[in-house]
Amino acid sequence: MSSASVSPANPKVGFVSLGCPKALVDSERILTQLRVEGYDIVQTYDDADVVVVNTCGFIDSAVTESLDAIGEAIAENGKVIVTGCLGKRSELIREAHPGVLSISGPQDYGSVMSAVHAALPPKHDPFLDLVPRRDDGIGVKLTPKHYAYLKISEGCNHRCSFCIIPSMRGDLVSRPVDDVLREAEKLAMGGVKELLVISQDTSAYGVDVKYAEREWRGKSYQTRMKALCEGLSELGIWTRLHYVYPYPHVDEIIPLMAEGKLLPYLDIPFQHASPRVLKLMKRPGAVDKTLERIQRWRSIAPDIAIRSTFIVGFPGETEAEFEELLDFLDEAQLDRVGAFAYSPVDGAKANDLPDPVDEDIKQDRLARFMERQAEISANKLEAKIGGVQRCIVDAIDGDLAIARSMADAPEIDGLVQIQNGLDAGLRVGQFVDVEIMGSDEHDLFGEAVLEG
Ligand code: SF4
C-alpha cells in the first residue's frame, strides 16, 4: 500500500452520559451526529482527543455526580466539553472547573457540535461527507439493539412545586407525530422490538400544537397520545408509555391495551395520595377518583401493570397524611413502585414551604413505605405463578435467559429468569412465552414454553 492511500486516523471523542432516559436520548443524538461527521467514539480517556460530558442537574446528588464526572474527565484527559441539564447552571461548573472548553444546556446539539469542531476539526472525507455513515441506519443507540427510547416532546407545562424541569427545559414542545412515527419506523426496521415512549409529560403530547394532524403511511394522525399509540401499533412491536400525568383522557388509551395495540403498562407518577400534600405539590388531588379510575382501567384491561413513583416526607407532610399514603398503597395495589425521601432541589418552589420534615422521620417513612409496597409486590408476583407470561429476552447468562414480561420496563422494573434459556436456544431480542414457576419481591422465575 502506498503512503498516499493511508488515510489519517479519525478524530476521537470520549463520551460520558449521565442522567435520565431523556438525557440518554440527547446523548444518542449527539453521538449519531459525531459518527455521521466521521468522529470515532472511544472508550477511554487516554484514547480520546476530547471528552463530552452530558450532565444531569435534577437533584443535588446528580449535580455532585456531574461535577465529579467533569473533574475526572479534566484530570484524565484535559479537553472537556460539557452539555446537558447542569449546563443551565454554567456558573456552578465554571467555579468548580474553570478549564472546561464549552458549556451548553440540554438539547443544544448545535452548540455541542460547534465546540467539538473548534477543539477537534472533523476529518474531511469527500465520500463519507456526501453519504453520512450510520452503522444501522438508525443512528447510534446507547440502549441494547432490541429496545429504544422514543422521545416525543421536550419541556413541561406543569409547575409541580418540587420540580425545576420547566425552568430548565421550558414549556412543552411536541415533535410532529409523523416525525415521531418515521423515527419509530426506522428503529423497527433496524431491529428494535420494544419502544419506550418518553417525555416530561407524555399525556400532554400535542397540546402545544393543537393536536395538529399529519400524514404517515397515507393516513392522517393527530399529534396526540392516542393517535400516536395507534400509529405505533402498526409497527407490530411493543410500545410502552412512560411519564404519563394522571389526566382524565389517559382513560382513552386503556382500550388500546385491551386490544393488544399497546403494552398493558402505565408509568404514572402519582407522587402522593393526601389531597393536601398533592395541593402543596401542585398536582391533581382527587384521590378517590384516582382509585376509581384504576379499578375501571383494570376492568377494561385486566393485565394492566401500573408503575408509579412517590415522594415521602414532603414539607408539611403529617403522620396522618403519610398514613393516607400507606392506605392508598393498600387500596391501589400498584404493581411497581419507586419512592424517594423528599430532598430539596435548588430553585424549587417547595423549598419555601413551611414545616420541613426531619431527616430521620423522612427515612423512617421511606422504609415503612417500601416495606408495605414490597409485600404488595411480592403478593402480586406470586399470583402469577402457574400462568404464562409473554416476555422479551434481554440477555443470555450461562444456562439462563434474562427476560422481561410486558409488566417490566428495562432498568426500573423486575426480570423474568428463564431457567432453560440456553436449552431453548433463545436469543437476545426474541419474544417467548414463559411458564412462571416461582417469584420473589421483584422477579419471576420460569421456563420457556417450547413449541411443538
Ligand atoms: S409534570 Fe413532571 S416534569 Fe412537569 S413539572 Fe411536574 S414533575 Fe416536573
Side-chain angles (χ1 to χ4, degrees), residues 58 156-160 162-166 200-201 245 271 283:
F58 184 43
C156 183
N157 289 346
H158 295 287
R159 294 295 181 263
C160 302
F162 53 82
C163 179
I164 54 166
I165 284 177
Q200 310 295 346
D201 176 4
Y245 192 86
Q271 308 297 9
R283 306 265 311 174

Side-chain angles (χ1 to χ4, degrees), residues 64-96:
T64 310
E65 189 191 3
S66 293
L67 289 174
D68 288 352
I70 297 166
E72 185 183 294
I74 287 182
E76 298 287 330
N77 180 281
K79 287 170 109 179
V80 177
I81 291 163
V82 178
T83 187
C85 282
L86 192 62
K88 287 269 183 186
R89 296 167 69 189
S90 56
E91 66 308 328
L92 207 69
I93 300 171
R94 287 254 175 250
E95 200 179 299

Side-chain angles (χ1 to χ4, degrees), residues 96-117:
H97 304 297
V100 297
L101 298 178
S102 141
I103 300 174
S104 54
Q107 296 103 49
D108 192 354
Y109 316 123
S111 296
V112 179
M113 291 312 298
S114 305
V116 173
H117 294 157

